[in-house]
Amino acid sequence: MVWIMHSIQEIYHTAIPYFWYISLGGVELFFSLSGFLIGRILLSLFLNPQFKLRDIPVFWIRRSLRILPLYFLLYFAYLLMYNLYIYPVRFDISYLLFLQNIRSTPTFFGESWSLSIEEWFYLCVPVAILFFYCIASLFFRRRKAEIAFLFAAFGLILSMIIFRQASVESGIDHQAVIFRMDAIAYGLIAAYASMKIPRLSNSRSAQIITGGLALWFTAAIIKLAPDINAHTKPLYYPLCGIGSAAMVLGLYYYSFKRRILFVTHTSKISYSIYLIHLSS
């Protein structure tokens, strides 16, 4: 979705009215899917009776090995390419620390804005779950991991909603990391639901997907409507997050008659496509 819409803009040097939202919606789906997959990993990690503190650094290392090598390679490749053939670009260490989008969206290597959110989420959320796990251990004998997981997820969502509303008048970019950590947290809630509900029928799964789409398009209307109140605009983020997470959850339960090879193959290379499709 992101690749197609950006390609149209590059080819025709204009955005199709209202259709540009498809690319942004694709990123929101990416966030929810990421939260769903990571949420299942983290919940299984904390539910494990053999859980040890060193399991969290192991989680960080595994995530880093999947994301960082290609990202670092492309960052330096783009630096070289731009300085040789396009325009001078200075080395910026913030890109190596995923700080380039901490307060505003970067212009160089623009795709990396979403990876900043991803990496800080991976870093902070396990620590938040561990914090609530320690507190829950003082009051509960059972389900400590589940309680900590939900407190971390809902706490992150609620804090981001309040933070965005409080900054409406400031004009700060709400795509920055400090305002968008909840984008992945909705996937955590979907992950929790998937581990508590054993199975659903295709008809019920389709209802969840349809409900997610309805929320998704409601969010699009709020995002695109020119006369929406400034304090209503931030509702786009939770509505889109819930809608995207619902679609991911519904598709998780939906039983397809056969595997679609195009989807299977594309899923393996989508991260690479995302990182090279715009800056190249």
Side-chain angles (χ1 to χ4, degrees):
M1 292 164 67
V2 176
W3 173 56
I4 289 172
M5 293 313 301
H6 285 168
S7 298
I8 291 173
Q9 288 177 309
E10 287 298 313
I11 293 170
Y12 298 104
H13 304 290
T14 185
I16 300 175
Y18 296 99
F19 272 67
W20 68 267
Y21 177 77
I22 293 176
S23 61
L24 187 57
V27 176
E28 300 294 344
L29 278 172
F30 159 69
F31 282 143
S32 293
L33 178 59
S34 180
F36 182 79
L37 297 173
I38 297 305
R40 288 177 63 85
I41 293 172
L42 287 175
L43 194 52
S44 298
L45 189 71
F46 281 91
L47 285 172
N48 188 345
Q50 305 301 319
F51 169 75
K52 293 180 175 59
L53 193 59
R54 67 170 179 263
D55 292 335
I56 294 178
V58 170
F59 165 81
W60 286 331
I61 292 170
R62 288 178 175 173
R63 289 294 94 202
S64 297
L65 289 175
R66 293 181 66 89
I67 293 175
L68 299 188
L70 180 61
Y71 169 75
F72 286 151
L73 174 65
L74 287 176
Y75 173 67
F76 287 109
Y78 286 145
L79 271 181
L80 180 62
M81 180 179 69
Y82 270 67
N83 279 288
L84 288 177
Y85 302 110
I86 304 177
Y87 56 79
V89 178
R90 295 178 60 186
F91 167 75
D92 187 347
I93 196 172
S94 67
Y95 280 84
L96 303 187
L97 301 175
F98 292 97
L99 295 172
Q100 71 271 34
N101 189 40
I102 200 72
R103 291 183 62 85
S104 60
T105 306
T107 53
F108 174 71
F109 199 5
E111 303 95 319
S112 66
W113 74 269
S114 56
L115 280 184
S116 296
I117 297 171
E118 286 277 323
E119 286 301 305
W120 281 101
F121 183 88
Y122 294 156
L123 182 65
C124 296
V125 167
V127 176
I129 296 174
L130 180 63
F131 171 76
F132 286 114
Y133 184 86
C134 294
I135 295 178
S137 299
L138 301 175
F139 302 98
F140 303 96
R141 299 183 61 183
R142 297 180 179 180
R143 305 181 68 180
K144 294 175 288 188
E146 295 180 35
I147 293 170
F149 184 86
L150 291 175
F151 261 86
F154 282 110
L156 187 56
I157 290 170
L158 183 60
S159 62
M160 289 292 102
I161 290 174
I162 294 173
F163 201 15
R164 282 192 297 264
Q165 285 291 345
S167 64
V168 165
E169 305 295 342
S170 67
I172 295 176
D173 184 4
H174 283 170
Q175 293 297 95
V177 172
I178 58 174
F179 294 107
R180 297 291 279 119
M181 294 283 281
D182 61 326
I184 309 173
Y186 298 102
L188 296 182
I189 308 301
Y192 179 80
S194 74
M195 298 186 78
K196 299 299 290 185
I197 304 171
R199 60 182 300 176
L200 290 175
S201 65
N202 273 7
S203 60
R204 184 57 59 86
S205 300
Q207 290 174 358
I208 295 174
I209 296 169
T210 303
L213 280 169
L215 286 174
W216 205 50
F217 282 110
T218 302
I221 292 171
I222 292 175
K223 184 78 173 178
L224 297 171
D227 54 348
I228 293 290
N229 183 276
H231 288 276
T232 305
K233 284 281 187 183
L235 289 177
Y236 158 80
Y237 297 103
L239 287 177
C240 193
I242 296 170
S244 298
M247 284 189 278
V248 170
L249 182 63
L251 288 168
Y252 169 77
Y253 281 112
Y254 196 91
S255 298
F256 292 90
K257 292 182 179 179
R258 62 189 180 89
R259 179 171 292 184
I260 303 173
L261 294 179
F262 172 77
V263 174
T264 302
H265 176 67
T266 304
S267 67
K268 296 177 181 178
I269 62 174
S270 58
Y271 175 56
S272 303
I273 293 174
Y274 182 73
L275 282 184
I276 68 173
H277 83 282
L278 189 58
S279 294
S280 296

